DNA sequence: TCGGTGTTTTAGTTTTGGCTAAAATATAAA
DNA sequence: TTTATATTTTAGCCAAAACTAAAACACCGA
């Protein structure tokens, strides 16, 4: 009657691989060995090895030299972790006074240690936020995820009125300085901007914020800001 | 100039062993292979193996067949974990609405995943509590620990007026029912009691609480309650 | 002092998840 | 179409922690 071979819960390594594939593949889609290796700072040979195990476990479809994509089970496991990660980041920022650029690293470890019980109680305490501090949508318990309606700030045109939707916080954790800079200037999700100039020549984007302050953002900064068109009725 | 061989941070296994030795040895003192094996639900051979590694790492003094005791470094490592554990339990109970009997298991995992930064921010958020929900003192950052001034309820005498100091929550997690029973009746740390009768015959202790309600506690219940003599000026 | 019993250690395996070096394959350029 | 380069896999190795089975030891009672 009881399941003979009880599957152990995914280890943190397994979880991080599944999550990496999800992020690289954009939800569906496929991820190559090298991409995964780079993202996880691990040797390609280690990835090949792990992909074999993930296949056994039913988390990925994988044939050699073909790259890997998530199965439905893998996708759900990834979303479970993403939900935890983003809820934890929200908690760290709002309740523990962490700064914007520090939350990711801590969440990256904690996401593997908390229970489902902890996660849902935390969600309740935070009053079921829809987005994390970076503006990323938080998956629901059932694995559903709000579609991404944002586009890069660089793709806007002069005169447009937009809302900062999210700020990319790449994987390496090496773009902390960017987050610090943007955070100090109030260029955070929810902030309203008017695009002044998008200069193709040097990739500089000039924006004006709600307080009338003008910001000239170089390519690196501009590329990490994602916006959506401002509509009077926006922002839940 | 830089430390050639960078010591990796203690794994959760290492941490749990060190903590077990600390608990078994009562801070100082020694713990036998079997005691550790029983407490961690691990084979004695595994303990022997780990004790060798802990010795290499400088956490314990250990000679075969002699049992193990913590070095100063090991003691500090244990206290670091105990501090985390007890702060986390407090948080789970007071902010996430966990029930008394559930906090230990979650804390047992989280204590290995949180950073020092997290721990100290949590302590601040909790306003630096002195004791955890079970009444156990929380070690300070420097590793100092309030002395235990409590004695078993069974060692009291009829007529004594006492304060519940702590409630033992043994290791196995198998005494959840005891915690539930005591919690439901408000027999928690800080509660004032008057001892009615301590019956040697069957080990039953009868106490009366602040509301005048009388409780007849069998040996198992009585043994898990620790008290200290009530003094008007007690309880910070 | 001698056994017997329980404790501890040794020896040998296993699983997980890394690594390097070398071989195989794919892909893009000539 | 051939070749150079980049990617991926294979093979072999290692460390941490667990396990079992068997041997060694300690200690207590007769
Ligand atoms: Mn993050
Ligand atoms: Mn992670
Ligand atoms: Mn506990
Ligand atoms: Mn633990």
């Amino acid at each position: 009657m009881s399941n003979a071979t009880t599957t152990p819960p995914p280890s943190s390594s397994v979880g991080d691989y599944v999550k990496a594939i999800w992020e690289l593949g954009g939800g569906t889609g496929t991820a190559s060995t090298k991409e995964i290796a780079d993202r996880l700072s691990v040797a390609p040979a280690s990835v090949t090895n792990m992909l074999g195990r993930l296949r056994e476990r039913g988390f990925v479809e994988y044939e050699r030299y073909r790259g890997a994509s998530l199965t439905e089970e893998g996708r759900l496991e990834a979303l479970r972790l993403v939900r935890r990660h983003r809820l934890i980041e929200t908690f760290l920022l709002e309740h523990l006074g962490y700064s914007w650029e520090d939350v990711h690293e801590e969440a990256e470890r904690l996401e593997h240690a908390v229970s489902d019980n902890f996660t849902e109680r935390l969600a309740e305490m935070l009053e079921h936020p829809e987005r994390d501090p970076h503006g990323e949508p938080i998956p629901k318990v059932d694995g559903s995820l709000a579609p991404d309606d944002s586009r890069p700030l660089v793709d806007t045109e002069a005169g447009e009125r937009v809302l900062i939707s999210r700020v990319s916080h790449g994987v390496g954790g090496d773009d902390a300085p960017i987050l610090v800079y943007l955070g100090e200037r109030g260029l955070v999700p929810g902030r309203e901007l008017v695009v002044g100039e998008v200069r193709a020549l040097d990739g500089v984007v000039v924006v004006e914020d709600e307080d009338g302050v003008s910001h000239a953002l170089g390519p690196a900064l501009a590329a990490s800001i994602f916006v959506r068109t401002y509509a009077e009725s926006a922002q839940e």
Side-chain angles (χ1 to χ4, degrees), chain A:
Chain A
M1 213 44 50
S2 77
N3 213 341
T5 47
T6 306
T7 315
S11 69
S12 43
S13 281
V14 166
D16 280 338
Y17 273 92
V18 168
K19 207 161 55 108
I21 296 167
W22 182 79
E23 281 156 359
L24 288 167
T28 47
T30 168
S32 77
T33 300
K34 181 161 196 300
E35 285 170 329
I36 300 169
D38 287 348
R39 166 159 292 232
L40 298 180
S41 301
V42 128
S46 305
V47 175
T48 299
N49 185 267
M50 180 61 98
L51 289 181
R53 285 210 299 277
L54 293 180
R55 183 181 39 199
E56 300 313 299
R57 285 233 197 179
F59 285 142
V60 304
E61 262 151 57
Y62 165 61
E63 252 166 313
R64 67 194 184 308
Y65 293 106
R66 291 268 108 96
S69 61
L70 294 177
T71 61
E72 182 58 15
E73 196 188 339
R75 206 184 61 86
L76 286 174
E77 181 58 28
L79 283 162
R80 222 168 56 94
L81 281 173
V82 171
R83 175 172 170 79
R84 289 175 178 193
H85 183 103
R86 295 182 180 171
L87 284 169
I88 290 166
E89 284 191 349
T90 306
F91 167 71
L92 294 177
L93 200 103
E94 291 182 2
H95 287 79
L96 287 194
Y98 269 68
S99 55
W100 217 17
E101 66 276 12
D102 289 338
V103 296
H104 183 77
E105 186 189 351
E106 188 87 39
E108 198 58 53
R109 266 175 299 110
L110 285 177
E111 63 189 2
H112 310 288
V114 301
S115 65
D116 284 342
N117 185 21
F118 181 101
T119 307
E120 297 320 311
R121 284 175 186 274
L122 187 65
E124 193 146 346
M125 172 185 155
L126 299 172
E127 292 169 308
H128 302 281
E130 311 241 316
R131 292 172 179 271
D132 79 3
H134 306 281
E136 306 270 15
I138 299 175
K140 308 251 183 258
V141 200
D142 64 10
S144 62
L145 184 64
D148 186 11
D149 55 349
S150 67
R151 61 205 153 104
L153 179 60
V154 204
D155 290 0
T156 57
E157 282 171 31
E160 269 195 76
R161 173 181 248 191
V162 296
L163 216 48
I164 299 186
S165 176
R166 65 187 165 89
V167 174
S168 84
H169 66 307
V171 65
D174 46 353
D175 46 16
I178 287 184
L179 288 180
V180 173
Y181 185 94
L182 295 178
E184 277 169 358
R185 262 144 263 246
L187 297 172
V188 303
R191 188 83 165 167
E192 187 188 328
L193 300 179
V194 176
V195 181
E197 183 186 1
V198 183
R199 203 156 56 212
L201 181 65
D202 59 356
V204 167
V205 178
V206 181
V207 298
E208 184 171 309
D209 68 22
E210 295 169 37
D211 300 328
V213 179
S214 178
H215 306 269
L217 307 166
L221 284 172
S224 51
I225 298 180
F226 291 76
V227 301
R228 66 171 183 276
T229 304
Y230 183 80
E232 288 304 327
S233 59
Q235 279 297 77
E236 96 285 353

